[in-house]
Amino acid sequence: MERSFVMVKPDGVKRGLASSIMARFEAKGYRICGAKLMQMSEDLAKTHYAEHKERPFFGELVSFITSGPVFAMVLEGEGVIEEARKMIGKTDPKEAAPGTIRGDYAILKSENIIHGSDSPESAEREISLFFSSEEIIEQSSAANV
Ligand code: RTP
Ligand code: MG
């Protein structure tokens, strides 16, 4: 079954939105198969966002994402990678539609509340970067009907 990596960023955790955001994914029907509050190290932040290392905002992005705890999740369900990105909304909250997480909770592109994997390759890479295999719990789909 398809899995994605989703993470409430430090701004979302500070504002007390982690549980509301997790609830949206559960209500949609995705299973939570891993979840934890964690403080990202600078090394982890640089590896996670390595695709942006040449961009002018890279330094700010790394300091923002390490500025406080994040709430990391592994979600499972059919089509979850693409659908979670739709639920998250566009990168710039000003362009994100109302009803999306960024559209409902954020204003600034630099503090846009949540990250979600953008492809099957990113999902696999990010899940293994943030979670050990023991931290991911297999759930039978029967338990979630
Ligand atoms: P994310 O990786 O955090 O889920 O966001 P995303 O896919 O929607 O956007 P991405 O292009 O991967 O950018 C990663 C994060 O970098 C910040 N950003 N700032 N100043 C800028 O032009 C700019 N562009 C991107 C955003 O905070 C974005 O979430
Ligand atoms: Mg991205």
Side-chain angles (χ1 to χ4, degrees):
M1 183 56 85
E2 188 173 315
R3 286 178 177 166
S4 190
F5 173 72
V6 164
M7 172 173 77
V8 182
K9 296 181 181 182
D11 53 336
V13 172
K14 276 187 196 120
R15 287 172 53 197
L17 296 172
S19 55
S20 307
I21 290 171
M22 185 161 73
R24 288 188 181 221
F25 293 112
E26 289 189 299
K28 173 77 178 170
Y30 297 125
R31 286 181 291 282
I32 311 286
C33 41
K36 61 179 171 182
L37 189 71
M38 59 181 285
Q39 172 64 49
M40 285 174 73
S41 67
E42 195 175 320
D43 274 0
L44 177 59
K46 286 180 171 166
T47 307
H48 173 64
Y49 278 129
E51 64 174 313
H52 299 305
K53 64 175 185 298
E54 308 299 340
R55 310 278 286 274
F57 57 83
F58 186 67
E60 268 173 43
L61 183 57
V62 169
S63 61
F64 166 65
I65 209 70
T66 57
S67 67
V70 297
F71 188 69
M73 285 171 268
V74 178
L75 306 179
E76 186 177 73
E78 195 174 316
V80 65
I81 298 169
E82 197 179 332
E83 192 59 35
R85 290 278 294 191
K86 281 192 219 153
M87 291 170 69
I88 287 169
K90 292 209 173 146
T91 306
D92 186 343
K94 290 178 195 69
E95 291 167 15
T100 64
I101 295 166
R102 286 170 174 163
D104 286 352
Y105 298 138
I107 300 168
L108 303 175
K109 193 175 190 180
S110 55
E111 294 178 22
N112 60 4
I113 297 281
I114 181 166
H115 163 80
S117 304
D118 62 9
S119 67
E121 296 72 32
S122 306
E124 200 179 320
R125 175 180 167 275
E126 292 168 1
I127 289 168
S128 57
L129 204 51
F130 283 82
F131 286 85
S132 68
S133 54
E134 299 79 49
E135 289 174 323
I136 296 176
I137 311 297
E138 300 281 346
Q139 291 189 69
S140 78
S141 47
N144 198 43
V145 288

